[in-house]
Amino acid sequence: SLSWLIYLGLASIWFGNHLTGNLGRTDVASVTPWLAPIVWEGTFDATLIDSIYKQQNITIATTVFALGKYTRFLKDFLESAEEHYFIGFRVHYYLFTDQPEAIPNVKLGQERYLTVKKIPSLNRWQDISMGRMDILEKLIENELAKEKVDYIFCLDVDTKFYGRWGVESLGHLVGVIHPWFFDVPRFIFTYEHRPESQAYIPAGVGDYYYTAAAFGGSLKDVHHLTKTCREQLNIDAANSIEAVWHEESHLNKYFLYNKPSKLLSPEYLWRDISMSVGQVKIIRFSHVAKNNAEVRPN
Ligand code: U5P
């Protein structure tokens, strides 16, 4: 009978989904127009993907900068990373600071390492933020290239982890969609629109607006990214122009012409833990609320 057929049909869909572990989301895009995955909760099987990468004995370098009053964010950043960030994998943090004495003593898990690097303090927060590209380029060139490092992630420190950030995030070149701009049309994106800047993106062009608070990939790809952004920042400085959102503008220009092989949804950098939005079902990593005027040097 018809009802029997309908029953059989529904049952086979249900079993099909459960037997194959069918994953996917219909409320968000989980692939870019150039076929790079966009990682959202519900698009991957954490146990399966962990078991694949477990066989590869990988090391993930993770860089973070804490200058001036930003050292206050380190304790929460590191403690929460030890709870949620690449758990079960080898992680080597590289921490750049102007005050090594202010680094909190956080107990790290097995196969988790921390190297502290002293760098000079700077007077402008924009210079601290932009200067990271140059320091990262040199770190990869002079140090990481000689070590057994497979991937690198470069993260803001005024942040905290609240949920799993694992091997599902790995790829050759990984960008994170900015949490303010994932659900708005392109004309809202705050790209640099002055042709005098090396970060210039013409109106009507661009795929996504990416955050500079988190990006990563293979050593080779991130080296090329940081080198290119550093060169473009230098040219702008020589021409006395500063892109509207500093190194983030240059990063967006870079990603426009060097498409990321994987994108992370705003689950991987949310605005503030207290704000929720329908499609973001889990907040993995988030900026913490801060008073910019109080915490920044100028
Ligand atoms: N930063 C500092 N000290 C400062 C300003 C910025 O360490 O005084 C670094 C932090 O790593 C911060 C990043 O997460 O630059 C980006 O700055 P912001 O845009 O989050 O303020």
Side-chain angles (χ1 to χ4, degrees), residues 8 71 122 126 196 221 262 288:
L8 263 184
T71 52
L122 292 167
Q126 298 90 335
E196 297 76 30
D221 287 70
K262 185 175 275 185
V288 296

Side-chain angles (χ1 to χ4, degrees), residues 64-70 125 128-129 132 155-158 287 290 292 295-297:
V64 65
F65 289 72
L67 290 93
K69 292 182 181 168
Y70 281 58
W125 63 267
I128 294 175
S129 201
R132 293 183 291 179
L155 306 176
D156 266 13
V157 74
D158 50 326
H287 267 132
K290 73 177 196 295
N292 284 338
V295 80
R296 284 172 170 169

